Amino acid sequence: MTDVKKISDEFSAGGQPTPVDLKQLADQGFKSVVNLRSPDEVGALADEQQQAENVGLQYVNVPLQPTEANTNLTATVLAAVEPLPTPVFFHCGAGGRASAAALITFATQQKLSRKAVLEKAAALGINPEQPQLQQFLDHLV
């Protein structure tokens, strides 16, 4: 896994985990994994759901495009995360989409202002120009 970012006690994000990484996440106390990759992306684990469930992690896959925002898909991610036990590890290929989605989830739950989201993004080194995050910010006051 590359560049893991801890958004909050409930949400962390990073790049594509290996089966060994999934076991380590479970050993570290993570309860759930949210995969934001399409199955056809280069480097995606074909049996990731099985690998995650084998080590006791709940698993959700909501593919988000890396270069294009989609309000419906962002809402789908928020809905999918809501019933999951925490802490949750979000991931994509390198961590950009995942960090944005984890921050959006946190910001939505905490009802953060646009300014607070931007401050949190800056503190964590999350690019505010990431498409899903930019779209989310455009709708905040």
Side-chain angles (χ1 to χ4, degrees):
M1 281 181 309
T2 59
D3 196 23
V4 175
K5 295 186 187 310
K6 184 175 180 176
I7 308 303
S8 69
D9 288 342
E10 293 84 24
F11 307 122
S12 292
Q16 175 68 55
T18 66
V20 170
D21 294 331
L22 291 169
K23 173 75 170 106
Q24 288 175 343
L25 288 168
D27 290 346
Q28 292 169 8
F30 282 88
K31 304 290 186 211
S32 306
V33 171
V34 176
N35 177 3
L36 302 174
R37 302 186 81 190
S38 298
D40 61 350
E41 282 186 48
V42 174
L45 278 181
D47 64 346
E48 183 173 333
Q49 181 169 0
Q50 181 180 350
Q51 294 281 343
E53 290 172 353
N54 285 348
V55 297
L57 296 167
Q58 290 198 31
Y59 177 87
V60 172
N61 179 220
V62 182
L64 293 181
Q65 293 296 320
T67 58
E68 176 180 319
N70 180 316
T71 303
N72 292 334
L73 285 176
T74 301
T76 301
V77 171
L78 292 170
V81 170
E82 191 172 329
L84 292 177
T86 59
V88 177
F89 181 75
F90 291 75
H91 85 81
C92 57
R97 284 174 283 176
S99 296
L103 179 56
I104 290 167
T105 304
F106 176 73
T108 300
Q109 288 185 349
Q110 299 297 313
K111 299 179 178 17
L112 298 181
S113 68
R114 185 178 200 285
K115 181 180 178 201
V117 173
L118 286 168
E119 288 171 356
K120 183 100 171 147
L124 293 168
I126 297 172
N127 180 1
E129 300 299 317
Q130 195 281 338
Q132 283 83 14
L133 185 54
Q134 186 61 54
Q135 184 178 60
F136 178 75
L137 289 168
D138 287 347
H139 294 95
L140 288 180
V141 178

